[in-house]
PDB file of all heavy atoms in Angstrom:
ATOM      1  N   ASN R 144      86.383  95.291  69.589  1.00 98.00           N
ATOM      2  CA  ASN R 144      86.360  94.826  68.123  1.00 98.00           C
ATOM      3  C   ASN R 144      86.757  96.035  67.198  1.00 98.00           C
ATOM      4  O   ASN R 144      86.036  96.437  66.315  1.00 98.00           O
ATOM      5  CB  ASN R 144      84.948  94.322  67.796  1.00 98.00           C
ATOM      6  CG  ASN R 144      84.992  93.786  66.360  1.00 98.00           C
ATOM      7  OD1 ASN R 144      85.972  93.315  65.876  1.00 98.00           O
ATOM      8  ND2 ASN R 144      83.787  93.763  65.837  1.00 98.00           N
ATOM      9  N   TYR R 195     104.976 118.538  93.162  1.00 80.00           N
ATOM     10  CA  TYR R 195     105.135 119.257  94.376  1.00 80.00           C
ATOM     11  C   TYR R 195     106.671 119.604  94.712  1.00 80.00           C
ATOM     12  O   TYR R 195     107.072 119.567  95.828  1.00 80.00           O
ATOM     13  CB  TYR R 195     104.642 118.389  95.519  1.00 80.00           C
ATOM     14  CG  TYR R 195     103.071 117.943  95.476  1.00 80.00           C
ATOM     15  CD1 TYR R 195     102.808 116.715  95.452  1.00 80.00           C
ATOM     16  CD2 TYR R 195     102.281 118.958  95.204  1.00 80.00           C
ATOM     17  CE1 TYR R 195     101.348 116.478  95.312  1.00 80.00           C
ATOM     18  CE2 TYR R 195     100.894 118.648  95.017  1.00 80.00           C
ATOM     19  CZ  TYR R 195     100.532 117.395  95.092  1.00 80.00           C
ATOM     20  OH  TYR R 195      99.203 117.064  94.950  1.00 80.00           O
ATOM     21  N   VAL R 347      98.733  73.569  69.159  1.00 98.00           N
ATOM     22  CA  VAL R 347      99.102  73.583  70.553  1.00 98.00           C
ATOM     23  C   VAL R 347     100.574  73.090  70.672  1.00 98.00           C
ATOM     24  O   VAL R 347     100.968  71.973  70.086  1.00 98.00           O
ATOM     25  CB  VAL R 347      98.330  72.662  71.481  1.00 98.00           C
ATOM     26  CG1 VAL R 347      98.855  72.642  72.908  1.00 98.00           C
ATOM     27  CG2 VAL R 347      96.737  73.122  71.451  1.00 98.00           C
TER      28      VAL R 347
END
Side-chain angles (χ1 to χ4, degrees):
N144 193 21
Y195 300 125
V347 178

